[in-house]
Amino acid sequence: MRRYTFGTVKNNPIIWADYPDPDIIRVEDTYYMVSTTMHFMPGCVILRSYDLIHWEVATHVYNALDDTPGQKLEGEKQIYGKGMWAASLRYHKGKFYVCFVANDTHKTYLFTASDINGSWERQIVEGFYHDCSLLFDDERVYIIYGNTEIHLTELKNDLSGPKPGGLNRIIVKDAEPHYLGYEGAHLYKINGKYYAFFIHMLKSKGRRTEACFVADSLEGEFTGGEVFDDNMGYHNCGVAQGGIVDTPDGKWYSILFQDHGAVGRIPVLVPMYWENDFPVFHKKAPEYIEVVSTRPGYEYKPLVGNDDFIYEPDRNGKVHIKDFWQWNHIPTDTLWSVTEKPGTYRIHSGKISPNLLYAVNTLTQRSAGPACESIVTLDGSGLRDGDYAGLSFLISTYGFIGLTKEADQNYLVMCARPTNDKSIFGNLVDNQPAVEYARVPVTADKVTVKAYGNFEDGKDECEFYYSDGEAWKKLGVTHNLVWKMDQFVGCRFGLFLYSTKEIGGTAEFSKYMYNILK
């Protein structure tokens, strides 16, 4: 089995974790890549690299997107499979631009900042631009967007909306029989020509491919077609949709993504070059790739990691979690806290929830391939009857190990959402409780539990264990995790608490460990 890590071995895929819909730019010696984060908060992650292979979190563009019941998981409101999608990242005249739509609010958002670390200013762009891409062309600015029919619209100089009397046309139509028409647009002006890149899935291929069209002017005809078709030998899952970027020494690369089952959609680096003013991709994504670093010896922060939950508040007294964590939806700040001695993450129950998917303040990290495990110590002394708290793989077909209390007795349980339907459709988010596969009574308030996931070659299995002080004991069944379109994200480890009978309980988590395994 090949070993994939987040910082030592230069294998493709460059990150075996859920970073879909990538767009990439270079600013002097630094590469930045934005990715879809949907319903997770803080949202719209931007990664940083100096060699296109190793990456770290540079920033999240926003802490919370909009103050809606769905984004805050109020009651049984939620935005699974919605939130922010497929952002366009650009740098123009000393300013960063991030533009995307949210499929729950049906708004187009534009965030700008003079520094990648912010602060980011937010505005709404009039109109709705699916899978959009910005282009700054001299003193004019354009946006392309759409599915199957790709639209080009000129925007006002302040990007507040379409420019009256400005250019507005369809530049490409996907006329061939397809499962997915052209979308995932990326627009560039290179050496005086205009290039538009798209993803699509023809019925004749049965997998995603990358296409490119070129024109001499934005008013002219765009011509082109498929430029990359490869599945890296993985279950006919094509590698497509993403941006292109050049290195300081004049080489060109594209970062695309590949569907990889329950772990999510993962980025792949593909070399390319230009021939007769048209992009030529290598026929196959290389298994091993090396790019000259602009900062040799740079040490990257991990994209996943351990946590002792000992945090120093900022000058305003606010505690910031480490940047590899995100909450499931907007957190309720009054219902979570950290303690210093020992360091713990504490969740307070504030509502009744039917299952894990509606639990507020679930703290998550991406799972990672080929296999990974997460270990945490859980203190359930503050639980009330009907509470569940523990460690999960959060996805439509979730599974978890945790403590529950019934008639003042604590039990360790393994629960999961059945995966009878293994297609990407169906099994949509609902309010049904998970199936309980195992239960053992416990006398201690503290337990140490482990979640293990195996994603090698699409296996997508998880198992749960608890420590008896000497060894790990498996609890419940080996559960199959399935990526589905209702949530549209890869599975994540999650620390959670939810109440089914009464509010007011608490759960504390400490000594969190994360291991990527062979």
Side-chain angles (χ1 to χ4, degrees), residues 272-286:
M272 53 170 283
Y273 60 94
W274 299 90
E275 188 174 277
N276 298 323
D277 293 325
F278 197 75
V280 179
F281 286 66
H282 286 211
K283 290 186 177 180
K284 300 289 184 181

Side-chain angles (χ1 to χ4, degrees), residues 302-317:
L303 291 175
V304 297
N306 305 333
D307 204 343
D308 57 12
F309 298 111
I310 299 176
Y311 294 163
E312 292 292 333
D314 64 18
R315 62 184 181 181
N316 298 315

Side-chain angles (χ1 to χ4, degrees), residues 14-35:
I14 51 174
I15 308 172
W16 200 344
D18 191 46
Y19 289 93
D21 308 324
D23 197 12
I24 185 170
I25 61 173
R26 177 174 62 85
V27 180
E28 297 177 348
D29 73 340
T30 307
Y31 305 98
Y32 297 104
M33 179 171 66
V34 69
S35 178

